[in-house]
Amino acid sequence: MAWCLLVPVVHGATSIAHPGEFLDQAERLRTKDHPQFLQMLERIHREGPQLSEAEQWHLRYLDAWETMFEGNYLKSEAAFHQIIEQSGDPVLIAKASGLLLSNLSINRRYEEAFALANRLASNLSAIKNPQVRFPLLTNLSQMLDFAGQTDLAVQYALMAQEAIPAGESPCRPLAAEAAALYNGKRLTSASPELQRAIDACLADHDPVLANSMRLMLGSLYIDEGHPEQALALLDRVAPSVRSNHYYPHMLSSRVERAQAYLKLGHVSEAKKAALEALAISQPDDTGEWLTDDYQVLYQVEKQQGHDAAALAYYEHYSSQEKSHLDDLRTKALAYDMAEQHFLVQKMQAERLSKQNSILKLQQSLTTKAIESGRLSIALLLVVLISVVFWLLRIKRSQLRFKQLSCLDGLTGISHHQHFIGEAQGALQLLEKRGGSACLIAIDLDHFKQINDTHGHALGDTVLRRTVAICQQQLRRSDLFGRLGGEEFCILLLDCDRDQGIALAESIRMAIEATLLDIDGVVVTFSASFGLASINPSGYDLHRLCRDADAALYKAKRNGRNRVVADTGNGSLATALA
């Protein structure tokens, strides 16, 4: 800290005698003291000392880093590509490649990011220099954590800890390990991995990463039922969060504070903190923190009996959660596609290598006797059969991947995006022939309580049993999809309102009568139903969904475990309860 305070005085009084050392010092201050980093960057540009070619590339790298930090991702991406392709410095290439991974991810160009990660990982075994290997391993860990590959992310973080170069802190690889474990639901507030990361980042005077780890600890306190400890921790980190102005920390600290207050029953304080988080949120933010914030506001308004406000916040929460889940599915799909492309390219390379071997073998066999010629034919047939086998295997994998991309991984029914597409097409065809249809929205009652009480494994069993019950009642022509979480939707084709109500009530009764006995624990559950029909909603899927959601909300507000249908005159009525 004393050195940091002396930097402006020394640099202001002397010229830049050693530009290389000056640039190294500036790079170390990027996240530790960002204002000082900007002053040093501005100074070296202003004074324009004589730089070697290596120092010029180092300065370009720092300029690109700052451009990305300011949010100009397109400009920084071009600079990173130039450094990777032209600098010839393996350390800068590794650092620029890692930042390019983050850049592509932020812009949601997931397939390009995962393809780049695959290329970097495939070359990793040949990289021995710790200055090159360390940043690559750290960034690969973060990227695989981003893709939801917890085991691989932890493995790369551990490898980065073993490759820490001289003079480098263990803060970043320890933080990458803790983040991967946290996102993989494998971390508790008492986990030693988290405390090691916090201690290392505090010792390294890196407030951004240290606050990330401490806010992670606060979230764990809340999840584990210790809101008082979470609030005490938030009070300790608040000055650092304010001074750094790092948006994710400013948002998440407010949301955590709102969640802690709500768990303590301090409704007014929870609402105040949640509204503060909402005020600083960005319009295009689809992150998990904003979803949690809307959930707090919904619960506060519901407890205070403000039904209209509660409904408005619930709609925001539902939309935010769906956007977040869609983004997660997009990332998973992009990761799988990148893996498939990498596998295909690898197989093509192997095939070309085999074909080259065959050509060389044929040239040598031409000089041999007839017996050797017969042997060459036999070998050629074996190789051709193996190529055909691999091509068939690739084709089968592609077909299976295409099928799985339309289905929800847990329940096996259509996921949100596929259901919406199929439903819109079906309604357009139905409108041409004037057929009837109903849309049923289903939401499991108190599902979060089931997860919190019995665990997510049993919650997944409840979701699969619900789907099985519904499928037993549906026809082959009906469309059935999972919209996200515990929400489902059914489009009944050639079905009028009364038939739809009867079917919904039949499903409701079957769910209510279901008992799950898991290791001696007997669990019952129920569901609420909202129904809309084309009379009067029409054939517009958006309006059908809106009317069904309104009916579903009334079913939940009137006590749950019931069917509510649109009456056809703009109001709602409980059909069966």
Side-chain angles (χ1 to χ4, degrees), residues 531 547 550-555 557 564-567 569-574:
L531 182 141
D547 293 344
L552 174 61
Y553 175 74
K554 182 170 183 181
R557 187 177 60 188
V564 172
D566 192 322
T567 62
N569 58 8
S571 61
L572 302 172
T574 303

Side-chain angles (χ1 to χ4, degrees), residues 16 36 93 96 148 176 202 241 279 337 372 386 423 435 446-447 496 551 568 573 577:
I16 303 175
Q36 181 61 34
I93 290 172
L202 287 174
V241 170
M337 290 183 67
S372 299
S386 67
H446 305 296
F447 183 74
D496 59 30

Side-chain angles (χ1 to χ4, degrees), residues 248-267:
H249 293 171
M250 295 171 65
L251 178 65
S252 60
S253 62
R254 286 169 170 78
V255 177
E256 284 188 18
R257 190 175 292 275
Q259 290 175 316
Y261 277 133
L262 186 62
K263 280 190 176 284
L264 290 171
H266 301 164
V267 178

Side-chain angles (χ1 to χ4, degrees), residues 419 422-431 433-440 474-480 490-497 499-500 503 532-534 539 541 544:
F419 173 82
E422 292 292 310
Q424 287 175 335
L427 286 172
Q428 290 173 358
L429 293 176
L430 194 67
E431 184 178 12
R433 56 185 179 84
S436 59
C438 292
L439 186 74
I440 300 175
L474 299 178
R475 304 163 299 176
R476 293 178 62 87
S477 60
D478 298 329
L479 302 179
F480 187 21
I490 301 172
L491 179 61
L492 304 173
L493 302 174
D494 296 313
C495 175
D496 59 30
R497 180 175 178 276
Q499 291 172 327
L503 177 62
S533 64
I534 61 169
Y539 294 93
L541 180 60
L544 277 170

Side-chain angles (χ1 to χ4, degrees), residues 29-251:
L29 288 174
R30 287 178 304 174
T31 56
K32 296 179 183 179
D33 190 345
H34 187 253
Q36 181 61 34
F37 166 73
L38 289 178
Q39 291 178 19
M40 296 179 72
L41 206 59
E42 187 274 334
R43 183 180 172 211
I44 196 169
H45 280 292
R46 183 182 67 247
E47 297 184 9
Q50 186 67 34
L51 300 179
S52 67
E53 184 178 0
E55 291 166 348
Q56 290 176 14
W57 282 112
H58 194 178
L59 180 58
R60 290 185 188 180
Y61 167 74
L62 295 180
D63 287 336
W65 185 94
E66 177 59 27
T67 302
M68 180 178 172
F69 187 84
E70 293 172 353
N72 193 337
Y73 300 114
L74 289 177
K75 184 178 178 181
S76 62
E77 179 185 345
F80 290 141
H81 276 298
Q82 187 180 34
I83 292 167
I84 293 169
E85 295 165 5
Q86 300 179 25
S87 71
D89 185 332
V91 177
L92 284 182
I93 290 172
K95 293 178 179 178
S97 298
L99 289 175
L100 183 58
L101 280 177
S102 300
N103 197 325
L104 293 171
S105 303
I106 291 171
N107 286 302
R108 299 181 182 176
R109 291 159 60 184
Y110 301 135
E111 191 172 348
E112 294 178 58
F114 295 140
L116 175 59
N118 277 334
R119 291 197 300 271
L120 294 174
S122 64
N123 296 328
L124 195 59
S125 60
I127 300 174
K128 306 300 181 183
N129 184 350
Q131 295 288 345
V132 181
R133 187 174 177 83
F134 175 73
L136 274 182
L137 288 169
T138 305
N139 283 288
L140 283 171
S141 174
Q142 294 171 348
M143 177 55 59
L144 288 164
D145 177 27
F146 184 76
Q149 304 297 313
T150 301
D151 291 332
L152 287 174
V154 170
Q155 180 181 345
Y156 278 117
L158 294 175
M159 293 169 64
Q161 293 170 31
E162 296 173 356
I164 299 175
E168 186 70 46
S169 165
C171 166
R172 293 185 181 276
L174 288 174
E177 178 189 8
L181 292 173
Y182 175 80
N183 292 324
K185 309 299 182 185
R186 303 181 189 178
L187 206 64
T188 69
S189 60
S191 296
E193 295 88 352
L194 180 55
Q195 192 57 52
R196 284 200 298 268
I198 292 174
D199 293 342
C201 293
L202 287 174
D204 193 39
H205 304 293
D206 192 325
V208 175
L209 279 176
N211 288 342
S212 295
M213 297 297 101
R214 290 191 285 187
L215 290 172
M216 191 183 298
L217 177 60
S219 178
L220 291 171
Y221 280 147
I222 294 170
D223 292 341
E224 295 168 6
H226 304 297
E228 300 92 345
Q229 292 178 259
L231 286 172
L233 178 63
L234 289 170
D235 289 338
R236 290 198 299 272
V237 302
S240 178
V241 170
R242 285 194 297 269
S243 65
N244 284 285
H245 297 288
Y246 186 48
Y247 167 71
H249 293 171
M250 295 171 65
L251 178 65

Side-chain angles (χ1 to χ4, degrees), residues 364-546:
S364 64
L365 289 177
T366 55
T367 61
K368 294 184 179 180
I370 297 176
E371 292 81 7
S372 299
R374 292 174 181 172
L375 178 60
S376 67
I377 294 173
L379 289 173
L380 181 60
L381 288 174
V382 170
V383 173
L384 289 175
I385 291 171
S386 67
V387 171
V388 172
F389 170 78
W390 280 110
L391 290 175
L392 291 174
R393 184 175 178 180
I394 292 170
K395 185 63 176 179
R396 186 169 65 250
S397 297
Q398 290 174 337
L399 291 174
R400 181 173 178 273
F401 177 74
K402 182 179 179 181
Q403 180 184 14
L404 290 176
S405 66
C406 299
L407 303 179
D408 175 60
L410 176 65
T411 60
I413 62 177
S414 295
H415 58 56
H416 179 270
Q417 185 177 2
H418 185 252
F419 173 82
I420 293 298
E422 292 292 310
Q424 287 175 335
L427 286 172
Q428 290 173 358
L429 293 176
L430 194 67
E431 184 178 12
K432 292 180 180 179
R433 56 185 179 84
S436 59
C438 292
L439 186 74
I440 300 175
I442 306 172
D443 189 281
L444 294 179
D445 298 329
H446 305 296
F447 183 74
K448 185 178 186 300
Q449 183 177 348
I450 293 175
N451 276 335
D452 292 345
T453 304
H454 304 288
H456 289 278
L458 193 141
D460 291 345
T461 301
V462 169
L463 292 174
R464 286 192 290 266
R465 182 63 61 87
T466 300
V467 169
I469 291 171
C470 293
Q471 288 176 326
Q472 291 174 357
Q473 306 276 352
L474 299 178
R475 304 163 299 176
R476 293 178 62 87
S477 60
D478 298 329
L479 302 179
F480 187 21
R482 182 185 179 194
L483 301 186
E486 67 274 21
E487 297 181 19
F488 302 90
C489 202
I490 301 172
L491 179 61
L492 304 173
L493 302 174
D494 296 313
C495 175
D496 59 30
R497 180 175 178 276
D498 292 337
Q499 291 172 327
I501 292 174
L503 177 62
E505 178 60 12
S506 176
I507 295 175
R508 185 197 68 79
M509 293 173 61
I511 292 175
E512 182 183 26
T514 299
L515 295 176
L516 287 180
D517 188 350
I518 308 296
D519 296 331
V521 177
V522 177
V523 177
T524 60
F525 55 98
S526 63
S528 300
F529 295 73
L531 182 141
S533 64
I534 61 169
N535 293 317
S537 298
Y539 294 93
D540 185 321
L541 180 60
H542 176 74
R543 183 174 176 184
L544 277 170
C545 290
R546 184 188 62 194

